[in-house]
């Protein structure tokens, strides 16, 4: 097995007052250690501590390129960060988003679930991909798992006035 590993841990969110976390970076490093112990050394490892959205997107693109080139046949991705919801352009529906270190209350630094899906879709069919999402509002990242969620009220880190032109 030739594994490409991406681990994200975001503790600091400088533009989001009161949003600091303590365990995300250690969790990302622990996930890397556990997977390495169980699956062996990856052929490529990307560790992103307090990463930006752009750094994660670049890592995902590099992963898709490596898999397409035959350098890896197995992908593991762990993300430990804040999650949030964003209203769609009709303001009646919401999408989930992962929050990266340079996020702000106007919506910069977010990766929408639809954008994450597009990054995953760039990995060729037939490649095993395991994704661990340790973030609030990551439900659409694990859609179909059958979890029962009792409190589905949308909570957002972005301003109430922020509206993104996103599709439902």
């Amino acid at each position: 097995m030739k594994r490409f590993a991406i681990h994200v841990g975001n503790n600091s969110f400088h533009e989001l007052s009161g949003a600091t976390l303590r365990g995300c970076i250690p969790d990302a490093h622990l996930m890397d250690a556990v997977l390495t112990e169980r699956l062996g050394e990856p052929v490529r490892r990307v560790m992103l501590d307090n990463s930006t959205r752009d750094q994660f997107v670049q890592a995902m693109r590099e992963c898709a390129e490596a898999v397409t080139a035959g350098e890896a046949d197995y992908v593991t991705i762990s993300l430990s960060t804040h999650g949030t919801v964003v209203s769609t352009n009709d303001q009646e529906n919401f999408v989930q988003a992962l929050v990266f270190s340079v996020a702000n209350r106007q919506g910069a630094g977010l990766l929408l679930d639809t954008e994450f899906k597009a990054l995953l879709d760039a990995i060729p069919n037939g490649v095993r991909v395991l994704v661990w999402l340790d973030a609030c509002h990551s439900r659409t990242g694990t859609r179909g798992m059958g979890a029962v969620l009792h409190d589905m009220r949308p909570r957002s880190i972005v301003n109430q006035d922020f509206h993104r032109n996103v599709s439902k």
Side-chain angles (χ1 to χ4, degrees), residues 27 46 49 57 68 79 96 100 107 112 115-117 137 146 159 164:
D27 286 351
V46 179
D49 296 347
V57 168
T68 300
L79 293 113
Q96 281 87 38
F100 287 85
L112 301 178
E115 296 169 323
F116 186 45
K117 180 183 183 313
H137 305 292
N159 285 339
R164 229 175 147 141

Side-chain angles (χ1 to χ4, degrees), residues 131-147:
V131 178
W132 285 267
L133 297 176
D134 180 8
C136 290
H137 305 292
S138 59
R139 182 180 81 153
T140 55
T142 57
R143 188 177 305 229
M145 296 300 292

Side-chain angles (χ1 to χ4, degrees), residues 1-66:
M1 168 183 12
K2 301 178 288 185
R3 182 170 61 94
F4 193 111
I6 300 172
H7 300 287
V8 175
N10 290 329
N11 285 348
S12 298
F13 306 87
H14 303 291
E15 295 188 44
L16 298 174
S17 176
T20 301
L21 298 171
R22 289 188 294 264
C24 293
I25 291 173
D27 286 351
H29 287 265
L30 181 59
M31 184 61 78
D32 176 55
V34 167
L35 289 173
T36 298
E37 177 184 315
R38 303 220 191 251
L39 303 175
E41 281 293 326
V43 293
R44 179 91 187 273
R45 172 186 288 118
V46 179
M47 295 296 302
L48 297 172
D49 296 347
N50 291 323
S51 68
T52 66
R53 177 192 183 282
D54 291 344
Q55 289 170 323
F56 177 70
V57 168
Q58 181 60 34
M60 289 294 294
R61 288 181 178 147
E62 290 172 12
C63 175
E65 290 170 7

Side-chain angles (χ1 to χ4, degrees), residues 22-167:
R22 289 188 294 264
C24 293
I25 291 173
D27 286 351
H29 287 265
L30 181 59
M31 184 61 78
D32 176 55
V34 167
L35 289 173
T36 298
E37 177 184 315
R38 303 220 191 251
L39 303 175
E41 281 293 326
V43 293
R44 179 91 187 273
R45 172 186 288 118
V46 179
M47 295 296 302
L48 297 172
D49 296 347
N50 291 323
S51 68
T52 66
R53 177 192 183 282
D54 291 344
Q55 289 170 323
F56 177 70
V57 168
Q58 181 60 34
M60 289 294 294
R61 288 181 178 147
E62 290 172 12
C63 175
E65 290 170 7
V67 170
T68 300
E71 298 169 19
D73 57 11
Y74 191 24
V75 176
T76 55
I77 302 165
S78 69
L79 293 113
S80 185
T81 189
H82 275 300
T84 189
V85 294
V86 178
S87 63
T88 60
N89 53 0
D90 65 10
Q91 299 180 27
E92 294 184 18
N93 294 293
F94 296 88
V95 295
Q96 281 87 38
L98 295 168
V99 181
F100 287 85
S101 65
V102 295
N104 64 34
R105 297 203 185 276
Q106 286 69 48
L110 303 180
L111 182 73
L112 301 178
D113 58 0
T114 52
E115 296 169 323
F116 186 45
K117 180 183 183 313
L119 292 169
L120 290 171
D121 286 347
I123 298 171
N125 289 336
V127 174
R128 288 177 35 188
V129 179
L130 295 173
V131 178
W132 285 267
L133 297 176
D134 180 8
C136 290
H137 305 292
S138 59
R139 182 180 81 153
T140 55
T142 57
R143 188 177 305 229
M145 296 300 292
V148 176
L149 303 175
H150 299 286
D151 185 1
M152 292 300 297
R153 290 174 295 154
R155 294 176 198 85
S156 180
I157 60 111
V158 297
N159 285 339
Q160 296 289 336
D161 298 332
F162 172 74
H163 306 290
R164 229 175 147 141
N165 186 18
V166 294
S167 58

